[in-house]
Amino acid sequence: MSDFSRRLPVYLLLDTSGSMSGDPIEAVRQGVKALVSELRGDPQALETAYLSVITFASSAQQVTPLTELMLFKEPQITAGGSTSLGAALKLLTQCINTEVKKSTPTQKGDWRPLVFLLTDGAPTDDFRSAAAELKSAKPANIIACAAGSYADTTVLKEITDNVLLMNNLSAGDLAQFFAWVSGSIKMSSKSLDAKPGEAMELPPPPQGFVIVP
Amino acid sequence: MSSIGQATLADGRKIPYVITDNPPAGGMKYTYFSPDRSYVVQFFNDPSKVDMNMRSRLEAILTRYNPTLPESKGGAVGNDEKTAEYFSKRFCWPTDIVVYPEFGIVSPTYPKSFFFGSNASDILELKGKDKKSNWFTGKNRKYLNPAELGDFHTMLQTALLLSRSIRRLHQAGLAHSDLSNNNVLIDPKSGNCVVIDIDSLVVPGIYPPEVAGTRGYIAPEVVESLELPVGDPNRKAPNAYTDLHALAVLIYEYLLRRHPIIGPKVYSTESAEKDDYLALGPMATFIENPHDTSNRPADLRVTIHDLGPELESLFLRAFVDGLHDPDKRPTAMEWERGLVRTWDQMHRCSNPNCDYKWFVLYDLEHPVCPFCGTRIDDTELVQLNFSRHIRGQKGKWRRYSKLLAVNNTPIFGWHTKDNIFPDEKADKQRLGYICNYKGNWFLANEHINGLVSPGGNSVPAGSGSIMISDGVQFLTSNDEHGLLVTVSVKKLR
């Protein structure tokens, strides 16, 4: 019989600017790997979650289009360049418009996408209009994580109300971040429940992370 | 990185547990294992939700409502050693309350058979993951090795055992409140299941827990009232009736590998959330609703009709009459009985490659497996039709149940008396069996006392037998609970 379950699109927006090179970018690679492997072990996530990776440095690019977990291949991620957050947000909007299925009278649309944004610095391009558009049109539930002391949380607050602060840009904290992301995706894929318009529920952030009010 | 923690229990005992980074977490609790992995210690994600209600609820669950402890050891009233032993395999029931370092509970680790082993899948790393039912009831099946998948026979047994467990809860006035694919682990290989997450039970007289449930298993009336604030008198709390919705959904999924409500119909194009709310709440429609086919998949092939009249009628009551009318849902006991009766009408499919391997052969005129379309290659079928005495009316009988028999089909106590039911208390000793000897069918009597031959003579246990052929009638016992058996033998070729 046909499958009538909805997809849960998940976008990872990862900062790959020069300041991420070395241990942090390696931790990001390992984090994505661990995330995919963790989600593949959860039957609900495996059925519903689809994953895409967008990286941004001097420019933004979608290194993996929205893909079901079993077919997901780890992207090449390298660090270097500036922090084009604005370009990344524009690209995200574009990807959502083309990849996320809308409901029609004969076809069930996808769930509202889940976006995890990780950045360690301040944007070097114009991000304001793209951020404002995302915040008002709300095409997705966005969770932004500021990694380390150089990240600018006020910038992230212009994109979403859900901002986390990770105090150290250490491999350990990045690993915890990706573990938390997989926990959040698992939780969302289970409790995508019938409460129209309610704030989404996420697991408590890992130790050492602060929710920015 | 791990270290050993010490939990102090309510009775002062101290027990160790292994503290790990990112412990496995559910919607309510996170879990640490004991060093030998024989038990788990669980703490609440949000300790502020631990209040007096939760404490008194857990105390009641651990003692006077505990079906896994005999009454003599402080468990449920009337519970004996044998039933306690039986239900301790069917529930992962908490054993202790933790008071330090914070409020938590201790539960046994569920048996090994509910964790995947290293051979579960060639393409996924599943070793050590628990066997949630949606590994087996949807498209995830294709990632598992065939040896994990079981067949229709083991899935029907799983459904039966689950109904019995839920019947036991409801009998005591308890409700699970969050029955779902996540909280019932199944092992299709052996046909077993275990109900977990017992700590959010609804206990009579104690304020119910604040669980909404799991998408796909929440009863429509609860979905409908989810938008009301907690404490609103119109907000529906989970109870035994909402369990009965979830139970029916699980049984349907076990047997037919699809969800009964999530179908092709689009209820709203405004948003996925709105559509889902309508689809699982106020507008919920059974995909096989005979009066409203708007949610029926175009390629629906095997239907509830193929599961035999007992289950068909139960599913219609659960998902047509009772979907929006909780009172009309079949009780867990009715499911248990219906599944037992269906069990006795199962037949092995003759196609060795059939994915289901067994089916319900309720219509002897049409002995074809509905799953793969193969006609069985048996030459003859034997059916024992049981009738019971109508009390107070001598010589009057009412149809009771049926047993489809092949060579070596066993006869149990519940096939011989109408006051024996195949439940947790029943004696599982074989009392006799059906056999074919040189082309004739016999009932061999091993331990049936009082068996009466068609001619009215006593058939001794141990050495006696009855030759049975089409139309033959005999009594399984000469006492008032004995059953009248009418034999049909159907020639197929």
Side-chain angles (χ1 to χ4, degrees):
Chain A
M1 198 185 81
S2 324
D3 178 27
F4 303 108
S5 55
R6 289 174 201 284
R7 308 186 307 170
L8 171 65
V10 178
Y11 288 90
L12 301 179
L13 258 67
L14 306 174
D15 183 341
T16 53
S17 60
S19 53
M20 291 288 288
S21 46
D23 285 351
I25 203 71
E26 183 52 32
V28 167
R29 281 187 209 117
Q30 294 306 321
V32 172
K33 198 177 189 149
L35 170 76
V36 172
S37 139
E38 188 61 31
L39 293 179
R40 281 180 182 162
D42 182 277
Q44 203 96 46
L46 188 57
E47 273 177 3
T48 32
Y50 281 62
L51 192 58
S52 163
V53 180
I54 292 173
T55 57
F56 58 100
S58 300
S59 65
Q61 55 170 328
Q62 188 181 32
V63 287
T64 315
L66 198 63
T67 313
E68 69 174 283
L69 289 173
M70 284 308 283
L71 301 178
F72 186 88
K73 290 197 183 61
E74 283 155 45
Q76 297 282 334
I77 300 178
T78 47
S82 53
T83 310
S84 305
L85 178 62
L89 297 179
K90 277 188 205 120
L91 182 56
L92 170 69
T93 308
Q94 256 174 42
C95 293
I96 290 178
N97 283 338
T98 54
E99 290 178 330
V100 177
K101 276 191 254 171
K102 306 236 172 351
S103 276
T104 69
T106 53
Q107 177 199 266
K108 286 199 183 266
D110 291 335
W111 291 108
R112 181 186 299 270
L114 208 47
V115 177
F116 296 90
L117 164 62
L118 177 74
T119 178
D120 76 330
T124 50
D125 64 350
D126 173 28
F127 70 96
R128 284 236 144 76
S129 58
E133 198 187 312
L134 282 171
K135 201 165 181 178
S136 66
K138 285 205 172 49
N141 291 315
I142 304 178
I143 297 101
C145 180
S149 41
Y150 297 107
D152 189 343
T153 54
T154 51
V155 165
L156 300 182
K157 275 282 173 186
E158 290 187 38
I159 307 167
T160 173
D161 288 329
N162 307 311
V163 178
L164 277 183
L165 177 62
M166 178 197 317
N167 281 322
N168 296 303
L169 189 59
S170 67
D173 276 7
L174 283 165
Q176 287 218 29
F177 170 73
F178 281 99
W180 178 80
V181 168
S182 79
S184 305
I185 296 170
K186 282 196 229 168
M187 197 172 204
S188 305
S189 65
K190 279 182 197 52
S191 67
L192 286 168
D193 57 27
K195 282 186 277 185
E198 275 215 11
M200 54 177 315
E201 242 181 278
L202 294 172
Q207 266 200 334
F209 286 59
V210 194
I211 298 173
V212 181
Chain B
M1 276 202 305
S2 62
S3 60
I4 300 286
Q6 283 275 345
T8 308
L9 307 181
D11 61 10
R13 277 182 299 143
K14 288 186 166 62
I15 58 165
Y17 61 95
V18 182
I19 303 174
T20 46
D21 288 340
N22 296 309
M28 291 284 286
K29 305 183 297 296
Y30 56 96
T31 302
Y32 295 122
F33 283 87
S34 68
D36 65 356
R37 293 182 79 87
S38 65
Y39 59 87
V40 297
V41 176
Q42 298 177 299
F43 297 110
F44 291 83
N45 294 340
D46 181 359
S48 72
K49 291 223 169 119
V50 177
D51 57 7
M52 272 320 288
N53 285 317
M54 188 185 280
R55 286 165 200 266
S56 42
R57 193 160 60 230
L58 276 166
E59 276 163 23
I61 290 169
L62 285 170
T63 57
R64 62 186 190 276
Y65 284 103
N66 190 342
T68 67
L69 262 190
E71 185 180 1
S72 58
K73 291 187 181 145
V77 175
N79 216 37
D80 60 21
E81 295 272 349
K82 191 179 165 193
T83 36
E85 160 80 19
Y86 180 89
F87 284 115
S88 61
K89 291 189 193 122
R90 300 269 85 88
F91 293 109
C92 195
W93 205 274
T95 54
D96 291 285
I97 290 176
V98 178
V99 292
Y100 181 86
E102 58 183 287
F103 188 83
I105 57 172
V106 181
S107 299
T109 307
Y110 23 88
K112 254 198 168 130
S113 57
F114 297 105
F115 292 105
F116 284 115
S118 46
N119 300 324
S121 167
D122 295 336
I123 38 179
L124 289 170
E125 279 295 327
L126 294 182
K127 188 175 176 344
K129 304 256 182 214
D130 42 21
K131 296 187 182 176
K132 297 189 166 116
S133 65
N134 48 345
W135 280 115
F136 308 99
T137 58
K139 59 181 173 185
N140 289 330
R141 284 175 69 82
K142 62 174 181 272
Y143 306 127
L144 302 181
N145 286 337
E148 292 291 328
L149 298 174
D151 55 35
F152 187 72
H153 201 256
T154 61
M155 291 311 269
L156 192 98
Q157 179 182 314
T158 307
L160 171 56
L161 295 182
L162 178 61
S163 306
R164 186 171 294 157
S165 302
I166 304 310
R167 185 258 294 155
R168 179 65 184 82
L169 288 183
H170 290 180
Q171 221 169 21
L174 300 167
H176 184 279
S177 83
D178 189 11
L179 273 184
S180 73
N181 56 339
N182 296 317
N183 291 340
V184 184
L185 303 182
I186 65 173
D187 177 31
K189 251 195 282 195
S190 64
N192 280 301
C193 63
V194 62
V195 179
I196 64 174
D197 265 356
I198 299 295
D199 50 287
S200 51
L201 294 189
V202 179
V203 179
I206 300 177
Y207 201 79
E210 268 174 37
V211 278
T214 305
R215 176 181 180 267
Y217 302 88
I218 311 177
E221 68 275 16
V222 176
V223 172
E224 247 176 273
S225 71
L226 275 180
E227 45 193 358
L228 300 171
V230 174
D232 188 297
N234 289 320
R235 194 179 150 106
K236 302 271 196 324
N239 55 30
Y241 292 109
T242 67
D243 277 0
L244 292 177
H245 174 74
L247 174 65
V249 173
L250 286 167
I251 295 173
Y252 188 86
E253 288 186 312
Y254 293 171
L255 300 181
L256 294 171
R257 302 180 193 166
R258 62 183 181 230
H259 194 279
I261 312 295
I262 299 171
K265 182 171 182 176
V266 176
Y267 295 83
S268 165
T269 52
E270 195 184 303
S271 71
E273 291 78 9
K274 178 86 192 268
D275 179 65
D276 217 59
Y277 167 75
L278 295 172
L280 295 171
M283 309 272 283
T285 315
F286 180 32
I287 60 170
E288 297 190 43
N289 188 320
H291 319 296
D292 175 357
T293 55
S294 62
N295 197 26
R296 192 181 177 90
D299 53 354
L300 200 62
R301 220 169 34 81
V302 180
T303 67
I304 50 172
H305 185 70
D306 299 305
L307 303 177
E310 304 272 354
L311 293 182
E312 182 180 24
S313 127
L314 288 167
F315 279 123
L316 288 174
R317 284 173 54 202
F319 298 136
V320 179
D321 310 337
L323 191 57
H324 298 282
D325 194 347
D327 278 346
K328 295 196 172 145
R329 292 174 191 153
T331 62
M333 183 180 279
E334 289 175 292
W335 279 112
E336 188 183 359
R337 285 184 184 255
L339 287 159
V340 162
R341 289 178 175 185
T342 306
W343 178 264
D344 275 347
Q345 297 176 56
M346 290 231 272
H347 196 276
R348 189 182 274 281
C349 178
S350 299
N351 170 5
N353 300 318
C354 178
D355 195 16
Y356 285 75
K357 295 191 176 64
W358 290 79
F359 66 101
V360 184
L361 208 183
Y362 63 94
D363 179 4
L364 301 192
E365 301 297 323
H366 187 67
V368 174
C369 169
F371 301 111
C372 70
T374 305
R375 193 182 161 89
I376 58 170
D377 54 19
D378 301 53
T379 49
E380 272 184 345
L381 287 172
V382 177
Q383 194 173 50
L384 306 187
N385 299 283
F386 300 96
S387 304
R388 65 191 290 190
H389 250 133
I390 301 178
R391 202 161 296 164
Q393 297 187 48
K394 208 171 179 331
K396 293 240 169 141
W397 300 85
R398 174 177 292 147
R399 266 207 247 165
Y400 183 58
S401 60
K402 290 178 192 174
L403 174 66
L404 184 67
V406 293
N407 200 18
N408 286 326
T409 294
I411 301 293
F412 294 105
W414 50 91
H415 298 124
T416 66
K417 302 267 177 91
D418 72 355
N419 60 344
I420 301 180
F421 186 69
D423 59 11
E424 66 277 9
K425 297 192 173 82
D427 188 347
K428 306 256 168 25
Q429 188 200 12
R430 186 176 83 165
L431 302 184
Y433 58 96
I434 304 293
C435 59
N436 189 298
Y437 182 70
K438 294 190 174 166
N440 291 313
W441 292 97
F442 293 88
L443 163 59
N445 184 8
E446 297 171 295
H447 304 288
I448 310 169
N449 292 316
L451 182 66
V452 184
S453 76
N457 299 316
S458 153
V459 182
S463 58
S465 65
I466 294 177
M467 188 165 117
I468 53 180
S469 54
D470 196 45
V472 156
Q473 287 195 322
F474 62 92
L475 284 174
T476 56
S477 165
N478 39 21
D479 83 11
E480 57 174 330
H481 292 292
L483 299 170
L484 175 69
V485 182
T486 309
V487 178
S488 352
V489 177
K490 171 93 188 147
K491 286 213 179 303
L492 295 180
R493 52 190 88 227

